[in-house]
């Protein structure tokens, strides 16, 4: 059996002799050494030469409490047992709170008592050391994880979040710990469902929901969580791993949009061919009737023929616009300043803006970075969105606010209006061809804008506001050859 090396730190030689006599009555497993000063004692502790330390409360230069504090602060993991001449509850509590393994009164020390105290102290220290090692390993995994990890509880209190999570959500740990966990859930119903399922099952895998960062960015995420009992506070905590599915969601949405566009293009071309021939026949018949001398002097007939002609032309233009909005054309990609593109678009829209008495404000990113895009098509997409905003405003003051920001490899343009907004039941329909809630509108503007941005590997999304709408346009920054044609 391995020998236990014990060091007595006591400036009184008589106390050492008495303690030595007690140890002589123990088995050979325990060996006792002695130093008679504070400095020698702390030096021995720092050299880590012993398994257990018996420290007298009074050491001349300082107290045993002072030595205990210095030892703990120096990283001592071996058990320290405090000794004193008489029982003192205050000293006892103070020593135990600092980190002493036990507290003994000298006059009461007996072989059985000190042997048990040493044995239990070593066992306790081994358990604590194993717990600390486990904590260090967990902390290393926690901090080095590539996914955000959140530690919270049912009440909503946030205990901790790793560095990846803090970066992902844009918070500092101290400010996040002052907020409830519902601050990162976009929808309250998602949070309630998450808690209910976790409490019911004890663990949860791949729970999909929308989370929101400090700056308002929404992410589609998958949560995997389990409940663990915190033995220190004796409470249950949630350990939650968060995986960002936004890219996957974007790919899925892009695939759906491309599918819709392909179908729309096929339908538009087929419908165009079906309509073109009847329209041509009608126009030809109208021209023949208009040239008929017998009818030439009939104002009512000529009026009706003009109405037919005008509406045929309108149907023809509408059909052509529909076909154009669904056609996939090769992009003329060049490097352009996104700020210049926005400025030029606003200049082209100036007459429309002034004509509708709209106040146009802007907050554009000052950047010389040039983005690879088809300038004409992107401008046409921006014009479509701005026209949509103009048509949405009926009451004064009419305000359109345009912003641009840069986030990693993406430029984001925001077009915000204070119009009537989009009702919840219509929010999923606004990019569908011919869908419109406005009079004398074709319902193709936003369809066209979405198609242009999708072919740029970008996106356009509606963010409903309390008063009005915000369209967020994202255009990626990348090298030539990276685009879908």
């Amino acid at each position: 059996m391995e020998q236990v090396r014990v060091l007595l730190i006591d400036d009184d030689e008589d106390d050492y002799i008495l303690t030595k006599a007690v140890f002589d009555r123990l088995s050979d497993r325990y060996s006792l050494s002695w130093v008679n000063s504070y400095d020698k004692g702390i030096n021995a502790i720092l050299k880590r030469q012993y398994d257990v330390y018996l420290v007298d409360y009074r050491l001349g230069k300082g107290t045993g409490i002072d030595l205990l504090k210095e030892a703990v602060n120096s990283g001592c993991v071996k058990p320290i047992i405090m000794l004193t001449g008489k029982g003192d509850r205050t000293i006892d509590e103070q020593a135990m709170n600092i980190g002493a393994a036990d507290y003994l009164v000298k006059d009461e020390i007996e072989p059985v008592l000190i042997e048990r105290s040493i044995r239990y102290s070593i066992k306790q220290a081994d358990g604590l050391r194993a717990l600390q090692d486990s904590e260090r390993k967990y902390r290393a995994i926690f901090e080095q994880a590539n996914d955000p990890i959140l530690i919270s509880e049912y009440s909503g209190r946030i205990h901790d979040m790793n560095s990846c999570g803090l970066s992902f959500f844009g918070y500092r740990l101290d400010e996040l710990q002052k907020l409830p966990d519902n601050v990162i859930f976009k929808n309250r119903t998602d949070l309630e469902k998450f808690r209910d399922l976790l409490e019911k099952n004890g663990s949860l895998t791949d729970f999909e929901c929308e989370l929101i960062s400090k700056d308002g960015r929404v992410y589609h995420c998958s949560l995997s969580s389990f409940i663990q009992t915190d033995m220190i506070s004796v409470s249950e905590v949630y350990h939650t791993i968060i995986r960002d599915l936004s890219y996957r969601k974007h790919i899925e949405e892009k695939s759906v949009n491309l599918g819709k566009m392909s179908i729309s293009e096929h339908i538009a071309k087929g419908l165009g061919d079906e309509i073109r021939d009847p329209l041509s026949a009608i126009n030809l018949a109208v021209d023949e009737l208009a040239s008929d001398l017998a009818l030439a002097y009939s104002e009512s007939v000529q009026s009706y023929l003009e109405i037919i002609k005008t509406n045929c032309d309108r149907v023809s233009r509408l059909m052509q616009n529909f076909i154009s909005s669904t056609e996939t054309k090769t992009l003329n990609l060049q490097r352009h300043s996104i700020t210049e593109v926005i400025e030029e678009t606003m200049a082209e829209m100036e007459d429309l803006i002034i004509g509708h008495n709209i106040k146009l404000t802007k907050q554009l990113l000052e950047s010389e970075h040039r983005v690879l895009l088809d300038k004409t098509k992107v401008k046409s997409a921006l014009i479509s969105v701005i026209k949509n905003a103009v048509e949405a405003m009926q009451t004064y003051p009419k305000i359109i606010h345009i912003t641009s920001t840069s986030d990693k490899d993406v430029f984001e343009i925001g077009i915000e209006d204070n119009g009537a907004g989009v009702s919840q039941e219509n929010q999923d329909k606004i990019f569908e061809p011919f869908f419109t809630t406005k009079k004398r509108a074709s319902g193709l503007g936003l369809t066209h804008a979405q198609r242009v941005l999708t072919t740029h590997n970008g996106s356009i999304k509606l963010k409903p506001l309390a008063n009005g709408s915000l369209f967020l346009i994202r255009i990626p920054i990348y090298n030539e050859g990276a685009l879908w044609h």
Side-chain angles (χ1 to χ4, degrees), residues 171-387:
Y171 289 97
R172 298 190 317 273
L173 181 59
D174 60 334
E175 63 179 329
L176 195 59
Q177 288 175 328
K178 297 175 183 177
L179 299 170
D181 59 2
N182 62 16
V183 73
I184 66 171
F185 279 83
K186 182 175 183 293
N187 302 309
R188 179 79 186 183
T189 52
D190 282 343
L191 173 59
E192 292 173 352
K193 186 177 180 181
F194 168 74
R195 286 177 178 168
D196 290 344
L197 290 173
L198 188 55
E199 287 292 325
K200 179 181 178 181
N201 302 316
S203 64
L204 199 58
T205 303
D206 298 332
F207 176 83
E208 294 193 17
C209 63
E210 289 185 320
L211 301 182
I212 186 168
S213 65
K214 184 179 180 181
D215 62 3
R217 190 173 300 280
V218 177
Y219 297 95
H220 189 84
C221 297
S222 168
L223 310 184
S224 295
S225 186
F226 65 91
I227 298 177
Q228 183 182 48
T229 301
D230 185 341
M231 300 307 295
I232 296 176
S233 59
V234 195
S235 63
E236 290 185 341
V237 292
Y238 301 163
H239 292 255
T240 305
I241 300 175
I242 301 169
R243 291 186 175 86
D244 182 12
L245 303 180
S246 300
Y247 178 74
R248 190 192 78 180
K249 193 74 173 176
H250 170 70
I251 295 298
E252 290 175 353
E253 289 179 355
K254 179 183 174 183
S255 178
V256 171
N257 289 335
L258 289 175
K260 287 181 179 180
M261 289 192 295
S262 178
I263 294 172
S264 297
E265 183 176 3
H266 179 73
I267 292 174
K269 288 181 178 178
L271 189 60
D273 291 338
E274 291 294 327
I275 292 177
R276 191 177 294 113
D277 291 341
L279 276 180
S280 296
I282 293 172
N283 280 317
L284 181 60
V286 168
D287 290 340
E288 288 294 329
L289 287 172
S291 62
D292 189 329
L293 293 176
L295 301 175
Y297 298 102
S298 174
E299 291 185 6
S300 60
V301 170
Q302 291 296 327
S303 176
Y304 288 136
L305 291 176
E306 186 62 32
I307 291 173
I308 295 172
K309 181 73 173 176
T310 299
N311 282 279
C312 283
D313 290 343
R314 183 182 176 189
V315 171
S316 180
R317 287 195 303 271
L318 183 62
M319 197 66 243
Q320 188 55 49
N321 289 339
F322 180 40
I323 294 172
S324 297
S325 71
T326 59
E327 280 184 327
T328 301
K329 297 179 181 178
T330 302
L331 299 176
N332 179 22
L333 299 174
Q334 296 182 27
R335 290 283 179 185
H336 296 282
S337 164
I338 194 68
T339 303
E340 290 179 5
V341 172
I342 297 172
E343 293 279 11
E344 289 180 20
T345 303
M346 292 170 63
E348 292 183 18
M349 300 290 292
E350 185 175 3
D351 290 343
L352 180 66
I353 297 296
I354 294 174
H356 285 76
N357 295 316
I358 293 172
K359 180 181 179 181
L360 181 63
T361 60
K362 62 182 180 179
Q363 187 176 354
L364 304 181
L365 178 69
E366 295 182 5
S367 172
E368 297 181 356
H369 197 100
R370 304 176 74 81
V371 185
L372 187 66
L373 50 79
D374 186 318
K375 183 177 179 180
T376 302
K377 287 185 172 59
V378 169
K379 282 174 62 176
S380 71
L382 294 176
I383 288 172
S384 295
V385 179
I386 294 173
K387 280 185 176 179

